[in-house]
Amino acid sequence: MLVLPKGVRHIPGYLTRDAQVALVADVRAVVEAAPFYRPEMPSTGKPLSVRMTNCGTLGWVTDRQAGYRYQANHPETGTPWPTIPAALLRIWSDVSGYAHPPEACLVNFYEPSAKMGLHQDRDEQNFDAPVVSISLGDSCLFRVGQARRDLPTVSFRLESGDVVVLGGAARLAFHGVDRIYPSTSGLLKNGGRINLTLRRVTTPAEAETRS
Ligand code: SIN
Ligand code: FE2
């Protein structure tokens, strides 16, 4: 059996097929309001193979000029990101163990040839809340390690409807997507994979923290 690094939680089949279909409709509405754009690496301007958009009060973006950051508006249209669909807020409440709502939902679209290099999610103000990630469409080979790039990693397959939580000791774990397995799901009409990543970006105000 595969042993995941401490703090990594993989919940296979979290979403039923009906819930996945409903979530795809939610994502389509988000993409209509906030079209996918092609992100670029900081300084080099090299385009990522994944296309991205966001929903939430803050969205994660990257381009050559200003690098990795969160901002309230779409980088190309200038419009505020659409709100996070209720179904995603429910998933967060169910699995995050964190008392405050997420502020950002990054939407990644992978065509069959797309991948994502090993990286940490660390552009948030603090790391108290976990990162909650939802997979839709074609399967992928996901890789996750620990908080140092040189420590060992494990790879496993993520299928449509799976949820991964990176929290606690794994909040800063290096992770990435080695490959997509084309035509492994009929969920998305034209194939490919969608990944949704929910994150808390800012530190909640103290008043909000008292219960
Ligand atoms: C990410 O780390 O932004 C995406 C992970 C994934 O696609 O599963
Ligand atoms: Fe990530």
Side-chain angles (χ1 to χ4, degrees):
M1 213 198 87
L2 184 72
V3 178
L4 300 179
K6 199 166 183 290
V8 179
R9 204 167 135 214
H10 176 205
I11 314 171
Y14 177 90
L15 293 172
T16 63
R17 177 72 184 200
D18 285 354
Q20 293 171 45
V21 169
L23 196 47
V24 169
D26 286 343
V27 172
R28 287 200 198 290
V30 165
V31 172
E32 259 171 52
F36 282 114
Y37 78 101
R38 177 80 68 183
E40 303 167 345
M41 295 290 284
S43 17
T44 62
K46 188 177 181 297
L48 305 196
S49 58
V50 171
R51 282 181 288 151
M52 293 182 174
T53 186
N54 289 270
C55 49
T57 51
L58 291 170
W60 187 88
V61 298
T62 174
D63 56 29
R64 174 181 214 143
Q65 293 75 21
Y68 301 153
R69 64 198 186 273
Y70 282 97
Q71 63 182 40
N73 302 307
H74 191 289
E76 288 177 355
T77 67
T79 308
W81 304 108
T83 55
I84 300 180
L88 290 175
L89 297 176
R90 283 195 296 270
I91 297 173
W92 174 268
S93 304
D94 187 29
V95 305
S96 73
Y98 189 73
H100 307 278
E103 295 166 299
C105 176
L106 175 64
V107 183
N108 289 325
F109 180 74
Y110 297 77
E111 8 184 309
S113 61
K115 48 183 141 209
M116 187 174 290
L118 214 58
H119 67 277
Q120 291 173 299
D121 289 10
R122 56 163 196 206
D123 299 314
E124 300 71 36
Q125 282 177 7
N126 74 66
F127 307 118
D128 295 343
V131 173
V132 173
S133 148
I134 300 140
S135 294
L136 294 171
D138 287 339
S139 310
C140 77
L141 186 62
F142 182 73
R143 179 181 292 276
V144 63
Q146 297 165 59
R148 266 173 40 198
R149 191 182 277 282
D150 58 336
L151 292 176
T153 60
V154 294
S155 302
F156 56 97
R157 223 172 135 125
L158 288 182
E159 315 277 353
S160 193
D162 287 8
V163 168
V164 172
V165 184
L166 300 181
R171 176 58 182 79
L172 290 173
F174 279 87
H175 59 279
V177 172
D178 290 348
R179 61 161 299 190
I180 302 297
Y181 298 102
S183 312
T184 46
S185 163
L187 186 70
L188 306 177
K189 250 197 335 282
N190 300 316
R193 172 175 184 265
I194 290 172
N195 174 259
L196 305 166
T197 326
L198 295 164
R199 304 195 195 96
R200 179 76 196 189
V201 180
T202 68
T203 303
E206 218 182 307
E208 265 184 85
T209 307
R210 281 196 296 268
S211 51

